Amino acid sequence: MSSQQTFRLGILGSGKGSNADAIADGCASGKIPAQVAVVLSDVAEAGILQKARARGLNAKFIDPGKFRTKLDDAAEVAFIKTLQEAKVDLVVLAGFMRILKGEFLRVFKDRVINIHPSLLPSFPGLDAWKQALDYGVKHTGVTVHFVDQGIDTGPIIAQETVAILQGDTAEMLHKRIQETEHRLYSKAVAALARGEVQVRGRQTIWKQS
Ligand code: GAR
């Protein structure tokens, strides 16, 4: 990307889209030096698409095909093609509930990031805040990481702890985790857009700005 061009984000999500919304806010206010080029979902009626359309962003549903937890071959091709046509520099997973592997990660090598609602490597997978609550840990948190072939295993870009308070319900804890997510993801995407984060093996290195 030349220094004249705006860094372009492709955001993928399956749910209500609060992280995508926070990132779009950051782009609109200039806190994130990037633009949302496209928002894609595997769920036709997902809030993430409705929120993106309400902002006038380019938002599309792509049929994920016959599998429950991954994209079928035709869907993978369609996601890749749409992101390439939108000339995205970074693929931002924001509650995208399908596993991306193989060709997708080859095409966007070191350019796919995810947010996960726990301090990885603790509590990978679904409903991580509920897993933390059930386990009885006193602190959980949020992780932003590059996506690799594993499930929630890629190199960690940023983490922040969230305390579990006495009397917390899953909903109360998830609300505080999401507030942290919106701040941490925006900060990480801004640093990546400025070229301040490099990945070397499992390590990520943040340049001082
Ligand atoms: C977020 O809490 C995100 O961490 C989680 O989905 C939620 C999406 O919320 N992702 C995962 O659990 C991935 N394993 P949002 O649609 O409001 O951004």
Side-chain angles (χ1 to χ4, degrees), residues 13-21 48 51 93-97 114-118 124-129 142-143 145 151-152 174 177-178 181-182 185:
S14 311
K16 66 182 188 292
S18 69
N19 279 286
D21 222 29
I48 189 170
K51 286 188 171 79
L93 305 186
F96 190 65
M97 293 316 211
N114 183 42
I115 187 143
H116 184 78
S118 77
L126 293 177
D127 295 344
W129 64 96
V142 172
T143 303
H145 64 94
I151 295 177
D152 302 326
H174 192 216
I177 284 179
Q178 287 232 286
E181 287 185 334
H182 301 159
Y185 217 6

Side-chain angles (χ1 to χ4, degrees), residues 4-25:
Q4 301 303 310
Q5 289 170 334
T6 312
F7 192 84
R8 295 172 71 81
L9 308 176
I11 306 182
L12 273 58
S14 311
K16 66 182 188 292
S18 69
N19 279 286
D21 222 29
I23 289 167
D25 274 346

Side-chain angles (χ1 to χ4, degrees), residues 102-199:
E103 185 61 11
F104 191 101
L105 295 183
R106 265 191 296 281
V107 171
F108 297 106
K109 185 169 164 28
D110 294 339
R111 292 193 294 143
V112 185
I113 63 171
N114 183 42
I115 187 143
H116 184 78
S118 77
L119 291 177
L120 291 171
S122 292
F123 311 123
L126 293 177
D127 295 344
W129 64 96
K130 287 188 193 156
Q131 295 183 50
L133 202 57
D134 290 347
Y135 196 94
V137 293
K138 300 295 185 196
H139 288 86
T140 184
V142 172
T143 303
V144 179
H145 64 94
F146 285 106
V147 175
D148 68 6
Q149 296 275 344
I151 295 177
D152 302 326
T153 52
I156 290 171
I157 299 167
Q159 286 186 305
E160 195 171 317
T161 55
V162 174
I164 296 183
L165 307 176
Q166 222 147 163
D168 258 351
T169 61
E171 292 68 33
M172 288 155 72
L173 177 57
H174 192 216
K175 183 169 181 291
R176 292 203 308 287
I177 284 179
Q178 287 232 286
E179 285 162 8
T180 303
E181 287 185 334
H182 301 159
R183 188 165 22 80
L184 194 69
Y185 217 6
S186 297
K187 185 177 159 192
V189 171
L192 284 154
R194 286 192 202 100
E196 291 172 2
V197 182
Q198 286 172 357
V199 56

